[in-house]
Amino acid sequence: ELEAFSYSVSHYLRAPLRHIEGYVGMLQRETQGIPPEKAERYLKTISSASVEMGQLIDDLLAFSRMGAEEMHESRVELTPIIDDVLRGLQIAAGGRDIEWRIGPLPDVIGDVAMLKPVFANILDNAIKYTRGRNPAQIEIGVAGEDEGRRILFVRDNGAGFDMRYLHK
């Protein structure tokens, strides 16, 4: 049901999104160099927001598919997964100055197909929310163990969130 719902939502959200992207592109081409700088900034904001919404729709679909798949647990090396995810996120980093601090990562028991998108999402958020920092600092490591389970963390010097809402 979740997959069918996600497909329907993504289908109905993509049509207006394509219209927004198309008309912003046409407006940018038609008015290139004509509108004031402020208008160009507005168009870029609309364009980047529509791209971000498209990514959210893709993430929703990927999430719905994950729930439908059977988990295949095995011993997984985290370092190659992180390396692969970071290679894929180089475009999102956009040539920014990012100091990556990656500690030694343990092997874990998990499903590679499910762990990779989790790390991709978390690290993409770290890149996104450190946008105003130069250099951005993103750290990945192990914080300890709880009842035989490793506790991993991703820490950055980005915007963060209000600690009053930590319990949520």
Side-chain angles (χ1 to χ4, degrees):
E1 289 177 7
L2 177 61
E3 189 173 0
F5 170 75
S6 298
Y7 177 79
S8 295
V9 167
S10 71
H11 173 75
Y12 290 113
L13 289 177
R14 282 192 195 281
L17 190 58
R18 280 192 297 273
H19 282 90
I20 292 168
E21 290 172 352
Y23 279 103
V24 165
M26 288 188 296
L27 190 55
Q28 285 174 322
R29 284 189 298 277
E30 289 291 324
T31 60
Q32 197 166 20
I34 296 172
E37 187 177 307
K38 198 177 211 180
E40 286 184 31
R41 191 172 67 242
Y42 292 161
L43 287 171
K44 285 181 184 175
T45 301
I46 293 168
S47 180
S48 65
S50 65
V51 167
E52 187 174 347
M53 185 176 178
Q55 184 59 53
L56 290 171
I57 291 168
D58 291 343
D59 291 347
L60 176 65
L61 282 173
F63 176 73
S64 71
R65 287 187 200 111
M66 277 179 57
E69 291 179 21
E70 187 177 324
M71 200 151 85
H72 303 286
E73 290 185 345
S74 63
R75 180 168 296 281
V76 178
E77 290 182 55
L78 291 179
T79 301
I81 290 175
I82 298 296
D83 291 344
D84 190 40
V85 166
L86 291 178
R87 272 191 299 279
L89 290 174
Q90 282 180 355
I91 293 171
R96 291 183 35 223
D97 185 12
I98 299 176
E99 293 176 4
W100 290 97
R101 297 181 191 144
I102 303 172
L105 299 173
D107 291 356
V108 297
I109 301 299
D111 185 323
V112 176
M114 293 187 182
L115 284 170
K116 189 174 177 181
V118 166
F119 279 109
N121 188 280
I122 291 170
L123 295 174
D124 184 51
N125 281 343
I127 291 170
K128 189 182 311 176
Y129 292 108
T130 57
R131 203 173 292 137
R133 308 292 185 191
N134 192 17
Q137 297 171 345
I138 302 173
E139 182 180 3
I140 306 166
V142 179
E145 199 169 302
D146 183 25
E147 296 181 18
R149 295 180 182 194
R150 301 284 172 94
I151 301 168
L152 304 172
F153 68 86
V154 174
R155 182 181 300 141
D156 62 61
N157 65 341
F161 63 93
D162 192 328
M163 293 303 280
R164 290 181 297 179
Y165 303 110
L166 181 64
H167 65 284
K168 293 184 177 186

